[in-house]
Amino acid sequence: MRAAVERGRKARRGAHVKLSDVAKKVGVSPITISRALRNPEIVSEDLRQTILRTVDEMGYIPNLAARALAGLHNGIIGVITPALHQRGFAGLMIGIEDCLRATEFRVQYSSTLHHADGEAGELRSFLTQKPAGVIIAGAESYGDLLPLIENATCPIAHITDLSQEPARLVVGLDHHAAGAQPTRFLLSRGYERIGFIGRGTDIRSRRRKEGYQAAMREAGRFDPDLAIGGNEGSSTGLGRELFARLLQRVPDIDAVFAQSDDLALGVLIECTARGIRVPEDVGICGFNDLEFSAFTQPTLTTVQIPRYEIGYRVADMLLRAVRDEPSGEDKVDCGFSIIPRGSTR
């Protein structure tokens, strides 16, 4: 209780404490305090600790709005994502954070929870704050976004399926290929009745489903009954449910390409519960190469996406644009890898 009261007092004091007050107490100029807070490595360790301790004691809160009025931007890199809550986003986030950690910029996230109609509103909200730049990590549609992007006063970088509209400051992969190649891999292992399980509502999942369908048609094995999906977020429970429904529809199914490792784990659990042998009776391929996929029994074959590399490269690309430095490539394909494990022959 006492700590909470003290924090409240600091917050109230902080509303009245100015940068010049902190500078006076430390015994340096206000510009030194400002630079130290934006880019701590430019001052000595002793001075940095003194400044941070004084800021904490006085409850000083930097005024980003005032900073934006005084300069070109407020020092924030905005990141808009449809899935901040999903485990697959963690690698992207760590890559972004690692790239920007040693800079003067700080990251602020916004999640649309896969609601495409909220993407333009989130971008508009960021732009009104005069950010240094924005990363759009997985937009569903660019129809409403392009006018805002074209008129933005800051650089905007993108993590996308490479079929989407942005032509520069883009990092991503070809999700159609990321659906077709794992399907061909399963076919090469002797599986024929290959099911597709996925949420299927966002553009990346739809592109992977199209790739799966193209590969099955190419092999003369396409059957629309083999694909099943749901509107819920990917989960192990959903994987079990969808596979059970798929077995009722197509009893002779002999493999599954699941659109996340969570779904693939659900398929594996349902197979175990029914006495279905994996990989002999049914092969399973997941997507994302989450940590647990290497420790299931049997281990999960999956598609590895270089999420950390994607996050780091898009942040680096944006940082170069903010600093007016050459960015190198305008559009980077980071690709993907199939990781064969015990759940396939």
Side-chain angles (χ1 to χ4, degrees), residues 33 40 72-73 83 105 134 138 143 182 190 205 224 267 277 290-291 321 325 334:
I33 300 293
L72 295 175
H73 55 73
F105 302 106
V134 176
S205 295
V267 175
R277 298 175 304 163
L290 297 179
E291 183 182 13
E325 298 173 355
C334 285

Side-chain angles (χ1 to χ4, degrees), residues 9-11 13-15 17-23 25-26 28 30 32-34 36-38 47-62:
R9 286 174 179 165
K10 283 184 179 180
R13 290 201 309 270
V17 175
K18 295 181 288 189
L19 189 69
S20 57
D21 299 327
V22 178
K25 185 164 184 177
V26 175
V28 297
T32 298
I33 300 293
S34 178
L37 292 176
R38 283 187 286 121
L47 179 56
R48 178 164 65 249
Q49 293 302 322
T50 299
I51 290 172
L52 294 176
R53 184 171 59 252
T54 305
V55 164
D56 183 59
E57 290 171 353
M58 298 181 72
Y60 171 68
I61 300 173

Side-chain angles (χ1 to χ4, degrees), residues 125-201:
S125 177
F126 269 132
L127 294 177
T128 61
Q129 302 170 50
K130 293 184 68 175
V134 176
I135 296 170
I136 301 177
E140 177 62 22
S141 170
Y142 275 87
D144 294 332
L145 292 173
L146 286 177
L148 295 172
I149 293 168
E150 290 168 358
N151 292 296
T153 57
C154 67
I156 298 178
H158 312 268
I159 299 173
T160 68
D161 177 82
L162 295 180
S163 68
Q164 290 180 278
E165 287 88 343
R168 61 180 305 271
L169 301 183
V170 172
V171 179
L173 62 135
D174 182 344
H175 283 272
H176 187 280
Q181 289 189 29
T183 306
R184 295 189 187 108
F185 168 82
L186 290 170
L187 288 163
S188 74
R189 292 299 190 268
Y191 299 109
E192 298 178 350
R193 300 284 280 165
I194 302 168
F196 180 95
I197 289 180
R199 187 170 180 269
T201 55

Side-chain angles (χ1 to χ4, degrees), residues 195-198 256-265 267 284-287:
F196 180 95
I197 289 180
V256 171
F257 178 25
Q259 290 308 283
S260 75
D261 287 345
D262 295 307
L263 292 172
L265 179 60
V267 175
I284 303 171
C285 179
F287 196 91

